[in-house]
């Protein structure tokens, strides 16, 4: 669970638009906390043994982790490795075909070059 929360937070921060980055990463943490509270709450009911509730929670987490295989690398990661075309494809996939990605792609390039 710790590994997943760290990886997901970084990935969300990397793919989020700058203006919404804080919102998306905060929502991830809030949903994680709500899930833990629900897990303990349902597990405290006598008819639902905590062990079974935890198995369901782990199953849901495993499903989400399995689907992460098909997510693209972050545009920042691809650009830092010199894969500009891949970064453009990834950003277009993440933002949609009608979104103008030129400005955002330029901002990412500038931030990588200024390191």
């Amino acid at each position: 669970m710790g590994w997943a929360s760290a990886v997901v937070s970084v990935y969300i921060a990397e793919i989020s638009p700058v203006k919404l980055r804080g919102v998306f990463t905060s929502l991830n943490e809030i949903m994680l906390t709500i899930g833990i509270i629900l897990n303990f709450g349902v597990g405290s009911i006598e008819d639902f043994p905590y062990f079974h509730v935890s198995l369901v929670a782990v199953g849901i987490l495993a499903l989400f982790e399995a689907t992460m295989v098909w997510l693209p690398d972050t545009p920042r990661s691809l650009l830092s490795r010199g894969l500009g075309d891949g970064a453009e494809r990834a950003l277009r996939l993440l933002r949609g075909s009608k979104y103008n990605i030129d400005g955002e792609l330029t901002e990412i390039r500038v931030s990588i070059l200024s390191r």
Side-chain angles (χ1 to χ4, degrees), residues 58-68:
V58 167
I60 292 170
L61 179 64
L63 178 68
F64 280 122
E65 285 187 18
T67 58
M68 286 183 71

Side-chain angles (χ1 to χ4, degrees), residues 31-108:
M31 292 301 145
L32 179 66
T33 304
I34 289 172
I36 291 170
I37 291 170
L38 286 175
N39 193 14
F40 279 113
V42 172
S44 68
I45 300 171
E46 286 184 32
D47 294 339
F48 297 106
Y50 180 74
F51 177 73
H52 294 130
V53 174
S54 294
L55 285 179
V56 171
V58 167
I60 292 170
L61 179 64
L63 178 68
F64 280 122
E65 285 187 18
T67 58
M68 286 183 71
V69 172
W70 290 281
L71 290 174
D73 282 355
T74 65
R76 183 176 308 279
S77 168
L78 292 167
L79 279 173
S80 66
R81 291 183 278 155
L83 302 170
D85 291 340
E88 187 176 337
R89 280 192 304 274
L91 195 56
R92 193 162 308 282
L93 177 70
L94 293 167
R95 300 291 184 262
S97 60
K98 295 180 181 178
Y99 184 82
N100 184 4
I101 62 169
D102 296 333
E104 190 172 354
L105 205 54
T106 302
E107 285 178 23
I108 296 171

